[in-house]
Amino acid sequence: MEYTTELLDRTTGDLDTVSLGNWVTVTEYGATKGVGSRQVRAILSHLGLLQEQLEASKSGNTRVARRRLTVDAVKAGLGKCIYPKKAGAFPFDVLSPKGQAWIDQRWDEAVQTMASEIASSPMVTMATECLDGFKASRGSDMTPQMEVCFLSDHFPDLLQVDICRITGASPRMVSLHVNTRADQIRAWKARRAASLPVNKHVTFNPDLIDTQGWTSS
C-alpha cells in the first residue's frame, strides 16, 4: 500500500501530497520471500525487529501476546504499528521501504543461521521431518497448537526453544500450548482413574449363575 504525507509548499502556501513509497504488512513481506506469517515473524524476531508484547485481545476483555515492531525499529523509520479505530479490528504492523531494504540485506543470513540451529541437533532435524511429513499426509494446514501438541506427543524430550524453531511460534505461545496439553492430560487421567459409584445394596452370589451364564430364576 502506498503511504503519502502532505507537506506545505512555502512558496505557494499549498499543501503538496508526497509519496512515502510502498509499505507492506509483515505477512505480505513474508509472502514475497515465500514464507508464511509465523515463519516471517520468527525470522524478524531473530533479527531483533519484532518482539513479543502483551496487548488487548480482539474482544478487549483479555490480553494476548503478539510479535510487534520494537520501539527502536519504529523510531528508525523501519515501520509503523497500526492500531485500527474500528472496534474488533486486529492491530498490525507495516514495513516501510527502508525497513524492507534493511531486512533484505539480512534475510539470507538469518535464514541460514536458523536452519543451522535446527540441523545441528539430530532430534530437532528428525522432529522437523516428522512434522512436515505428517502435515503433507493431512493435505491441510495445522494450527500452532496442533503442531506443538504433535511434537510434544512424539518427541517428549524436545525443548520448548526447539519447538519454537520448528513451528515458528513464539516462546509464550509454545509454553501456553504445552501447559494446556499437560493440564488436559492430567484431567483425562483423573477422570479415567475415578472409581464408578458402587451400589452397596447389590451382592454377588455365584450359586445363582447357571451353566449358560444366565442368572437362575
Side-chain angles (χ1 to χ4, degrees):
M1 176 182 295
E2 184 179 10
Y3 278 61
T4 61
T5 188
E6 291 184 333
L7 296 178
L8 176 64
D9 187 338
R10 297 184 181 277
T11 60
T12 64
D14 296 330
L15 287 175
D16 295 334
T17 300
V18 179
S19 174
L20 296 178
N22 184 40
W23 294 54
V24 298
T25 66
V26 172
T27 299
E28 289 171 342
Y29 180 82
T32 66
K33 298 293 187 180
V35 300
S37 60
R38 269 186 285 157
Q39 287 72 23
V40 67
R41 283 168 174 78
I43 294 170
L44 298 190
S45 296
H46 177 83
L47 288 173
L49 198 66
L50 302 182
Q51 67 179 11
E52 205 166 49
Q53 301 178 19
L54 284 177
E55 297 181 335
S57 65
K58 185 176 181 180
S59 65
N61 299 323
T62 58
R63 292 172 66 82
V64 297
R66 296 189 179 98
R67 286 181 282 194
R68 306 300 304 274
L69 285 170
T70 65
V71 174
D72 289 342
V74 174
K75 288 182 178 179
L78 303 181
K80 294 180 180 293
C81 296
I82 307 299
Y83 296 91
K85 296 181 180 180
K86 183 179 179 181
F90 288 103
F92 61 95
D93 296 336
V94 290
L95 301 171
S96 67
K98 179 181 177 180
Q100 297 169 52
W102 186 92
I103 301 169
D104 285 342
Q105 294 175 357
R106 298 161 176 80
W107 181 268
D108 290 341
E109 182 178 354
V111 171
Q112 291 174 5
T113 300
M114 295 174 69
S116 297
E117 291 173 348
I118 292 177
S120 63
S121 170
M123 180 185 293
V124 176
T125 300
M126 183 182 299
T128 302
E129 293 174 350
C130 187
L131 177 61
D132 289 343
F134 181 71
K135 289 163 63 176
S137 68
R138 283 171 51 90
S140 60
D141 292 334
M142 296 173 63
T143 64
Q145 183 174 9
M146 293 166 66
E147 293 185 0
V148 171
C149 289
F150 177 88
L151 292 171
S152 298
D153 288 340
H154 292 81
F155 299 90
D157 296 329
L158 200 61
L159 299 177
Q160 289 191 23
V161 64
D162 292 325
I163 295 179
C164 292
R165 293 189 180 109
I166 296 171
T167 64
S170 68
R172 189 185 297 271
M173 292 307 298
V174 169
S175 178
L176 172 64
H177 296 325
V178 168
N179 291 334
T180 298
R181 170 183 173 274
D183 291 341
Q184 291 173 341
I185 291 176
R186 281 194 292 269
W188 175 77
K189 287 183 176 179
R191 288 195 299 269
R192 187 181 66 173
S195 300
L196 293 174
V198 178
N199 189 338
K200 298 181 179 180
H201 300 290
V202 177
T203 58
F204 174 71
N205 187 346
D207 295 333
L208 297 180
I209 304 298
D210 62 17
T211 56
Q212 299 298 321
W214 297 94
T215 56
S216 302
S217 58

